[in-house]
């Protein structure tokens, strides 16, 4: 094998290794996502909430005046406006949120957290915290921190990709 052929073979091997590494990362991430989804259903389902519903309630808890626009919620939850409308309808029927006019925009609406929604979110958060701690207790604290840093970097990449692919 000539030096040129050896360089090509090495480049191919590195490309295959790199592709194999990225596939392994995404396969592990997908499998982890399935287990995370199951944990969320177990913990939040006990309170009659999906993860997206829980996320909306938690976002509203942290918001100024416990209110946000549906558009802001849609952006944060990463869903369509139609899906958000259905989600907010369910939360409103359960008396966890209410819609009110936006004083800063005559045509706008704000979604506001109710006392019941706040209490339900707190109860669900406690159950979800217990579930997360149960899983993370199997890892060393430094591993949890390392995984957290790696996932933050990956999330930044996903967010950038989402922005680019959503741009008109």
């Amino acid at each position: 094998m000539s030096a040129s052929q050896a360089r090509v073979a090495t480049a191919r091997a590195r490309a295959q290794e790199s592709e194999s590494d990225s596939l392994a990362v995404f396969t592990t991430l997908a499998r982890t996502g399935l287990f995370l989804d199951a944990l969320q259903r177990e913990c939040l389902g006990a309170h009659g909430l999906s993860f997206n519903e829980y996320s909306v309630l938690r976002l509203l808890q942290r918001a100024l005046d416990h209110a946000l626009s549906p558009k802001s919620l849609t952006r944060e939850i990463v869903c369509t406006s139609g899906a958000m409308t259905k989600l907010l309808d369910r939360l409103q029927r359960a008396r966890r949120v209410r819609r009110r006019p936006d004083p800063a925009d005559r045509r706008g609406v704000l979604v506001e957290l109710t006392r019941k929604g706040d209490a339900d979110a707190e109860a669900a958060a406690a159950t979800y915290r217990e579930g997360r701690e149960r899983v993370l207790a199997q890892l060393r604290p430094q591993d949890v921190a390392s995984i957290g840093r790696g996932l933050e970097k990956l999330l930044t990449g996903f967010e950038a990709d989402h922005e680019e692919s959503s741009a008109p």
Side-chain angles (χ1 to χ4, degrees), residues 70-136:
K71 186 175 183 176
S72 295
L73 292 167
T74 297
R75 211 174 21 252
E76 288 296 316
I77 301 296
V78 191
C79 67
T80 65
S81 59
M84 181 55 65
T85 297
K86 289 177 184 176
L87 187 153
L88 294 175
D89 288 346
R90 285 192 305 273
L91 289 173
Q92 190 168 11
R93 277 193 305 275
R95 297 189 188 109
R96 290 174 166 146
V97 301
R98 70 177 139 261
R99 292 173 172 104
R100 66 174 166 88
D102 183 346
D105 178 0
R106 289 184 328 167
R107 296 176 295 161
V109 171
L110 291 175
V111 178
E112 184 177 55
L113 187 65
T114 64
R115 282 192 195 124
K116 180 182 182 341
D118 188 49
D120 289 351
E122 285 301 317
T127 305
Y128 188 33
R129 186 179 314 108
E130 290 170 8
R132 291 189 317 261
E133 288 172 0
R134 186 180 74 224
V135 172
L136 295 178

Side-chain angles (χ1 to χ4, degrees), residues 10-154:
T10 300
R12 281 188 186 140
R14 285 185 183 150
Q16 286 175 338
E17 184 178 298
S18 176
E19 184 175 326
S20 174
D21 288 348
S22 70
L23 177 60
V25 166
F26 273 80
T27 300
T28 301
L29 190 59
R31 187 152 170 76
T32 302
L34 294 172
F35 279 104
L36 177 59
D37 185 55
L39 178 70
Q40 290 167 340
R41 281 194 317 268
E42 169 197 328
C43 296
L44 304 174
H47 299 276
L49 292 167
S50 70
F51 182 72
N52 282 350
E53 291 167 341
Y54 169 77
S55 296
V56 164
L57 297 178
R58 295 297 277 176
L59 286 166
L60 292 171
Q61 283 183 314
R62 292 177 178 89
L64 184 65
D65 297 327
H66 299 294
L68 291 169
S69 71
K71 186 175 183 176
S72 295
L73 292 167
T74 297
R75 211 174 21 252
E76 288 296 316
I77 301 296
V78 191
C79 67
T80 65
S81 59
M84 181 55 65
T85 297
K86 289 177 184 176
L87 187 153
L88 294 175
D89 288 346
R90 285 192 305 273
L91 289 173
Q92 190 168 11
R93 277 193 305 275
R95 297 189 188 109
R96 290 174 166 146
V97 301
R98 70 177 139 261
R99 292 173 172 104
R100 66 174 166 88
D102 183 346
D105 178 0
R106 289 184 328 167
R107 296 176 295 161
V109 171
L110 291 175
V111 178
E112 184 177 55
L113 187 65
T114 64
R115 282 192 195 124
K116 180 182 182 341
D118 188 49
D120 289 351
E122 285 301 317
T127 305
Y128 188 33
R129 186 179 314 108
E130 290 170 8
R132 291 189 317 261
E133 288 172 0
R134 186 180 74 224
V135 172
L136 295 178
Q138 300 172 57
L139 303 173
R140 298 177 309 166
Q142 59 266 37
D143 292 335
V144 172
S146 177
I147 291 166
R149 286 188 302 273
L151 287 173
E152 280 294 328
K153 290 177 183 177
L154 183 60

